[in-house]
Amino acid sequence: MPEKNKSYNSKNYLRGCDFLCYYWDIIDDDSPFHSHLDYYEFIITIDSVFHHNNGITEIIPPNNILFVRPKDYHALTKFNNNSVKVLYLGIVESAIEDTFNFIGDKL
């Protein structure tokens, strides 16, 4: 199981970006359980991966998008012991909340 009790904020995760940052990653080792203090994260899966989120574990197939909220407690682990390629998109909390407020109940 992944290591526990990490948390990230936009300064260390978004690498100084004010709004959005993204990067590719290949997961050779399981990611630690962690939460995000002040940003949302979209994770685009290129390979199958286990996603552990708030006590629930799901197999996420390739070509899916995960939506992780601030304060969600989650981790990614390898599926079938293979390396996993993912794309991470981090967006500061205020940008997402402003978007939700703009959309309101229009959908």
Side-chain angles (χ1 to χ4, degrees):
M1 259 334 232
E3 169 186 346
K4 296 186 180 215
N5 297 328
K6 296 237 180 200
S7 62
Y8 301 100
N9 63 39
S10 61
K11 288 193 188 295
N12 62 23
Y13 179 81
L14 301 181
R15 301 173 188 184
C17 300
D18 291 330
F19 174 70
L20 165 77
C21 191
Y22 66 93
Y23 67 96
W24 286 100
D25 196 14
I26 296 176
I27 300 170
D28 290 321
D29 296 315
D30 297 337
S31 72
F33 275 99
H34 64 278
S35 61
H36 308 148
L37 301 175
D38 60 352
Y39 66 94
Y40 287 82
E41 183 175 55
F42 292 89
I43 304 170
I44 301 170
T45 62
I46 307 304
D47 303 302
S48 293
V49 65
F50 284 109
H51 186 230
H52 313 276
N53 190 36
N54 299 323
I56 298 170
T57 298
E58 298 178 291
I59 299 171
I60 308 299
N63 305 314
N64 273 272
I65 298 175
L66 300 170
F67 180 66
V68 181
R69 301 165 298 190
K71 317 285 188 298
D72 279 349
Y73 191 62
H74 79 118
L76 297 174
T77 57
K78 298 180 286 188
F79 181 75
N80 286 339
N81 217 20
N82 295 321
S83 293
V84 176
K85 190 186 310 180
V86 294
L87 173 64
Y88 294 100
L89 291 166
I91 303 176
V92 295
E93 189 172 27
S94 60
I96 293 287
E97 290 175 355
D98 288 349
T99 301
F100 289 160
N101 289 333
F102 174 76
I103 293 171
D105 57 3
K106 296 175 188 172
L107 295 179

